[in-house]
Every structure is written in C-alpha cells, then in structure tokens.
Amino acid sequence: MNTARFVSPSPFRLSTAPDSPAPTSLGRSSGRVVAFPARPHGFSLRLRSPAMAASGVGGNGSPTAPGNSAGPSRIGEVKRVTKETNVHVKINLDGTGVADCSTGIPFLDHMLDQLASHGLFDVYVKATGDTHIDDHHSNEDIALAIGTALLQALGDRKGINRFGHFTAPLDEAAVEVILDLSGRPHLSCGLDIPTARVGSYDTQLVEHFFQSLVNTSGMTLHIRQLAGKNLHHIIEASFKAFARALRQATEYDLRRRGTVPSSKGVLSRS
C-alpha cells in the first residue's frame, strides 16, 4: 500500500490561570466534538506542572503519584493520510471510557466502543477511506494510527504495570488475551471464527487489525479463543479482553515508584 504521511497536530497553549478548567472528555452526547489538547511535533510529549517542577518529577508516564490529577495527561494523537484513507485518532489512557468513533465500518465502530468502555480510555477515531472497494485499507490504517497514538501516549512507560492478562466471556464464547508493552511487536492470534462476515465486516480483518496495531505500538499480544460458536460473540469478547488487558498494563504500579518496568532500564519501540 502507499506510504502514509503522518501529520503532526498544531501546538497548543496551556493556560497558567489557577482556575482554568480541566480538558473535557470527548463524547457524542453533547452533539459536538471536544478536542484533546493537540500534541506538538514529534512522538514525545513532556509536560511539567509547577507542582511537578518543584518536586523534580516530570515526563510523560511518570507523574508525582499514579492517579494524581496534577500529573501529565497520557494522550496520543495521530493523523494518517494516504491515497486510500484519511484517519484521525486521539486516545487518552487516563480517560473515563468515552468513545467518539466514525470509521465508515459500523462493526468496527462497535468494537472501538468496547475498547473505550472496557479499557476506560477516551477514544476518538474519524476516518474516511475507499470502503467502496472493501474495508481492508481503512481497517488497517485505523489500527496503525491507534497503535502509533498508543505509542505516543505511553511515553517512556515509567511506572506502568507493563503486562496485562484478561479472559472475557460473552455468552458461549470466551477469549483470553495476554499482552506485554515490551516495545517488541509480536502477534499470536488463535481465533477460530466460523463464518466470513459479521454484517458487512470481513472477519479476516480482525487478525489484521490486531497485527497492524501491534506493529506500530510495539506490543507483544497473544489472543486465544477458549470457547465460542457465534462469530459476533467471539470477536466482541476478543476486543473486551484486549481492552481490559491493555487497561491493566497501562495502569501504574504504586510499588514501582515511577521506574521503568524492565531489568534493562528502558522500554523502546525498537
């Protein structure tokens, strides 16, 4: 496929007024999109509040204390433009589970809603693409952009759990997900989906979605189907289990005290 052009969002301004309101989460209910703070050029964003500066602590992924509202927001934003697609993704790892997703692929919208709801991430995805041909290019480029946004939001990965493991049942289906935010991309996908389509969505694209996300985020991901006959249940259980495992991996370990969860002392995409 064509090489993508990543468009850096415009720089943003931070108000110094003490009574400035916190950024509002994205949502559909208000009838308008409330934007995350845009990210300056590059993949790394480091903010230091006065409180953080005074304590000598700063940097994306290493706030003064996990859950402290004075810490930096872990937000990733990516615009991916090719001759086949135009994709804009924002993700807030410390959100409340709000989804605002319009991909042109209704079933994928439903799955991204699961990612937000069960991961407690705020997820914004707007995409247009050559879905008149099929959903392949849009499915792939959306996943690549989500993976890149996740890479941004994780920053140096200091203090996080790093590993996640969750098994989600959905009626007769059950899917287990194990993941490692290792910086090393690998996917092992053991799904046995019985039919070729759910609605208009090609079920082959499920594995391709996760492979594309893994490639850009630098994640080790294992998906294993334990049970299931209904294809909708199998796929939805996969996304729910992935969301929960990712939530676990991105949350902070209080005992780690802001250090990198690796004996190497660094977790990188390479």
Side-chain angles (χ1 to χ4, degrees):
M1 63 174 287
N2 295 292
T3 302
R5 175 169 57 91
F6 285 90
V7 182
S8 298
S10 59
F12 63 90
R13 297 179 181 272
L14 293 176
S15 172
T16 56
D19 58 348
S20 297
T24 306
S25 295
L26 294 171
R28 290 183 178 137
S29 58
S30 64
R32 63 188 180 89
V33 173
V34 182
F36 287 114
R39 195 176 274 283
H41 294 287
F43 282 137
S44 178
L45 173 62
R46 297 179 179 272
L47 305 179
R48 289 171 64 87
S49 68
M52 291 166 64
S55 64
V57 179
N60 194 22
S62 52
T64 53
N68 187 339
S69 60
S73 296
R74 295 188 297 167
I75 295 171
E77 180 177 7
V78 171
K79 292 183 180 180
R80 178 182 172 86
V81 180
T82 73
K83 291 181 179 180
E84 299 161 342
T85 64
N86 188 325
V87 179
H88 186 187
V89 166
K90 302 177 190 176
I91 187 167
N92 181 356
L93 298 182
D94 303 306
T96 59
V98 179
D100 186 359
C101 302
S102 177
T103 65
I105 307 172
F107 185 78
L108 184 57
D109 289 345
H110 180 45
M111 293 303 101
L112 295 177
D113 286 350
Q114 307 310 308
L115 176 61
S117 177
H118 292 278
L120 289 180
F121 309 126
D122 290 345
V123 179
Y124 170 89
V125 180
K126 297 296 178 185
T128 57
D130 55 0
T131 53
H132 61 284
I133 298 173
D134 66 12
D135 295 339
H136 183 96
H137 296 141
S138 291
N139 179 86
E140 178 181 44
D141 287 1
I142 289 164
L144 290 170
I146 290 174
T148 305
L150 179 61
L151 180 71
Q152 289 183 15
L154 284 168
D156 53 25
R157 311 188 189 199
K158 288 182 178 178
I160 64 170
N161 287 317
R162 173 179 165 179
F163 300 99
H165 182 197
F166 198 86
T167 302
L170 182 54
D171 297 347
E172 90 298 342
V175 177
E176 179 183 35
V177 168
I178 306 168
L179 63 83
D180 177 9
L181 300 177
S182 59
R184 298 184 299 273
H186 174 81
L187 174 67
S188 176
C189 185
L191 295 178
D192 182 17
I193 301 174
T195 57
R197 291 190 177 274
V198 52
S200 61
Y201 187 72
D202 182 352
T203 55
Q204 291 186 66
L205 296 180
V206 175
E207 181 172 351
H208 192 57
F209 178 91
F210 285 114
Q211 183 66 70
S212 299
L213 189 151
V214 159
N215 287 347
T216 49
S217 66
M219 178 191 303
T220 299
L221 177 61
H222 293 262
I223 304 172
R224 184 168 63 134
Q225 181 179 328
L226 305 179
K229 296 180 179 178
N230 182 287
L231 72 161
H232 190 128
H233 293 168
I234 294 166
I235 298 170
E236 186 168 334
S238 301
F239 274 84
K240 287 178 175 177
F242 173 72
R244 288 291 187 127
L246 185 59
R247 171 182 165 186
Q248 183 182 59
T250 57
E251 285 178 342
Y252 289 107
D253 180 349
L254 289 170
R255 293 179 59 197
R256 190 159 290 284
R257 299 180 180 273
T259 60
V260 175
S262 171
S263 57
K264 297 182 180 70
V266 62
L267 288 172
S268 66
R269 172 61 180 81
S270 60

